[in-house]
Amino acid sequence: DGRIILRSRSNMLLQFTVGTLVIFVTTTMLIYYMLNKLEETEQESMARLQPSFPIDVNAHQPWKRGEMFVKRAEYEHDKKGRRQDKDVKQLNSVKEYLSDYNLPVSGIGETRLWYIKLRQKYDSKYPFDISDKASSLDRLLKLASSLREHQYTPIENLKCPDKPPPGYPKQWKMMDIIRNWNPDDTSDFHTTVIYQGICVFDHQTESEKANNYREAEVPFVLRNHVDVLRTVERWNDPSYMTELLREDEQKTEYSQSNHLMWWKLRGGSKRGLPDNWKPPTEIIKMKYSDWVKKAKDVNHKQDSTEKPHWYFRINGCGNGHTCGQSTTEFLFDELPFFKPVKSPFIIDPKQPRGINCRFGMTGNIAENHFDSSRNMVALLGGERRYMLASPSQCLNLELYPLSHPSGRHSAVDWSNPDLKNYPNFKNAMGNEIVLQAGDVLYLPTFWFHYIISLNTNLQCNARSGVSHEYRHFITECGF
């Protein structure tokens, strides 16, 4: 009898254990099923909110923050069934704004709502009517023409056929260019005749020419591209720039004179440098509003070359990369033509270098140097004079060696060349071009450039990829 009772209790325990296990497994499967259904429901809800209109990767309008804001707000509204009045008003405002534009899917750009609202305000002020592009373009072209206050005439007739002719670009003695217009002289634009050796193409009528010159890896200027002009229009509105750059402090280059030489200590050490070497510039933090005041002050001073000068800088990295705390990702929304997608401005989107902007004040000089990648330079306001030289001139340009903090930059003061200590410079050849609002300069890899700010100006550049046509000149030069 005892054995029967024990066996009965064991069976009951086994049945209880099995029953418990079945309930546990069933419950687990049910929970898993419900979670999956909930996730599917959420995905379906989000999918319903996907835009059904065409995608334009070069659309000017900021998108990422606005699109995600709308999706998140609508989903939360569906889930909770309620929303405060002010949130509904804000949501509808953003939805109405975004509904007018095609949204690019590039994954870069500004992510904060303040920027969406700012663009909503100013895109209403400066509309671009897709249904009537001709009138909008005419407005932009008239604006650009009004901003180009000075007319410059090439010293010789410049021929710009469909493809670069032999000997392009035209070159002259660099010393003759300097004697004609000293880099330190920006007081009265005393000359309108310049040693211009590169072609300027109007995008509206000569885009194919520009493409041919780009493929030939020679410098040229592209003018009047509609996306560039739209940025020019906003950026030449002082109130817009004040609201865009706000009171954020940005890295700014400071020099005690108008010459701003780039430098970087190799390995962070001064070892091997002359005892009297000191950094030619200093990096400080400055607000845009403060920089504008200093720029106006410099403009009103006579012979300001020995007075302090500042380069105001803003940078955008894109693709989730960081450029430090001063990164301003709205640059990819402000300058959509510099987004890392194949375009007339971005040759190799797989090797982007971000967007780098330097705002110059009258007299600012960036010393002669080369960059190791292709460079597109957009002038969005004001005027800048570029003195250019082919990589074949490397030995004549008397560069600091790579071991020097200012390596790949010319050791010669071009505003007062010392031919005794730098005798090769007298043989240097080059040309010049004055960039004005709406101009984009293409510089192939390794081309030298010396930059003079003729007035307060706004410049941004983007680099993408490397070409090797001129590398042997740089290698022979020790780089």
Side-chain angles (χ1 to χ4, degrees), residues 86-151:
K86 69 174 183 179
D87 292 337
V88 172
K89 183 177 180 180
Q90 185 181 48
L91 168 61
N92 290 337
S93 177
V94 175
K95 285 175 64 178
E96 180 182 358
Y97 172 62
L98 292 173
S99 67
D100 292 335
Y101 302 102
N102 298 331
L103 304 181
V105 184
S106 59
I108 60 174
E110 184 52 70
T111 60
R112 289 168 290 182
L113 188 57
W114 70 265
Y115 179 70
I116 284 282
K117 297 172 72 175
L118 176 67
R119 285 296 299 274
Q120 180 182 14
K121 173 183 175 182
Y122 281 90
D123 287 339
S124 297
K125 182 177 181 180
Y126 302 118
F128 189 86
D129 189 350
I130 302 299
S131 62
D132 188 9
K133 292 183 178 180
S135 62
S136 296
L137 178 59
D138 183 63
R139 183 190 78 236
L140 293 172
L141 292 174
K142 287 180 179 178
L143 169 69
S145 178
S146 68
L147 294 173
R148 297 165 187 160
E149 299 178 7
H150 302 90
Q151 299 298 318

Side-chain angles (χ1 to χ4, degrees), residues 86-350:
K86 69 174 183 179
D87 292 337
V88 172
K89 183 177 180 180
Q90 185 181 48
L91 168 61
N92 290 337
S93 177
V94 175
K95 285 175 64 178
E96 180 182 358
Y97 172 62
L98 292 173
S99 67
D100 292 335
Y101 302 102
N102 298 331
L103 304 181
V105 184
S106 59
I108 60 174
E110 184 52 70
T111 60
R112 289 168 290 182
L113 188 57
W114 70 265
Y115 179 70
I116 284 282
K117 297 172 72 175
L118 176 67
R119 285 296 299 274
Q120 180 182 14
K121 173 183 175 182
Y122 281 90
D123 287 339
S124 297
K125 182 177 181 180
Y126 302 118
F128 189 86
D129 189 350
I130 302 299
S131 62
D132 188 9
K133 292 183 178 180
S135 62
S136 296
L137 178 59
D138 183 63
R139 183 190 78 236
L140 293 172
L141 292 174
K142 287 180 179 178
L143 169 69
S145 178
S146 68
L147 294 173
R148 297 165 187 160
E149 299 178 7
H150 302 90
Q151 299 298 318
Y152 299 93
T153 305
I155 195 167
E156 294 183 14
N157 183 37
L158 190 60
K159 296 182 179 180
C160 298
D162 289 344
K163 294 185 178 181
Y168 179 88
K170 178 72 176 177
Q171 299 182 93
W172 295 268
K173 290 281 189 181
M174 195 64 77
M175 286 302 300
D176 289 342
I177 299 174
I178 292 172
R179 292 188 187 100
N180 179 63
W181 189 2
N182 189 283
D184 274 346
D185 185 1
T186 61
S187 58
D188 55 6
F189 296 91
H190 74 278
T191 182
T192 57
V193 177
I194 62 174
Y195 285 80
Q196 180 178 332
I198 68 173
C199 295
V200 178
F201 298 117
D202 191 318
H203 181 263
Q204 302 303 314
T205 57
E206 300 175 296
S207 59
E208 286 300 319
K209 276 189 181 183
N211 187 59
N212 293 337
Y213 281 62
R214 209 288 305 155
E215 290 182 349
E217 293 294 347
V218 292
F220 65 91
V221 170
L222 185 63
R223 169 172 283 189
N224 292 336
H225 190 285
V226 63
D227 284 344
V228 178
L229 294 182
R230 292 185 67 187
T231 303
V232 167
E233 186 173 45
R234 289 193 307 275
W235 282 31
N236 281 272
D237 184 332
S239 62
Y240 179 75
M241 294 303 287
T242 299
E243 292 184 59
L244 176 67
L245 296 170
R246 307 188 298 175
E247 289 298 297
D248 298 338
E249 291 187 332
Q250 302 290 344
K251 286 185 177 180
T252 303
E253 296 174 46
Y254 166 77
S255 173
Q256 295 182 8
S257 72
N258 65 318
H259 289 251
L260 294 100
M261 170 72 82
W262 179 91
W263 64 277
K264 182 179 181 180
L265 289 177
R266 311 294 170 175
S269 172
K270 293 185 179 181
R271 185 172 55 187
L273 293 173
D275 293 336
N276 62 348
W277 182 88
K278 60 180 182 179
T281 61
E282 179 183 350
I283 299 296
I284 63 174
K285 289 292 189 75
M286 181 177 287
K287 299 175 183 178
Y288 173 72
S289 57
D290 293 335
W291 178 84
V292 169
K293 293 175 183 177
K294 293 182 181 300
K296 290 180 178 179
D297 187 43
V298 167
N299 288 347
H300 295 146
K301 288 182 178 178
Q302 296 295 322
D303 192 23
S304 63
T305 57
E306 297 303 318
K307 301 290 193 276
H309 283 68
W310 294 262
Y311 252 146
F312 185 81
R313 293 166 40 179
I314 51 177
N315 304 293
C317 292
N319 290 332
H321 300 297
T322 59
C323 305
Q325 294 181 350
S326 61
T327 298
T328 45
E329 292 304 290
F330 57 70
L331 287 175
F332 290 95
D333 301 301
E334 288 296 315
L335 291 74
F337 45 91
F338 279 162
K339 285 182 177 179
V341 294
K342 187 74 173 179
S343 73
F345 304 102
I346 300 297
I347 292 85
D348 187 351
K350 294 182 180 180

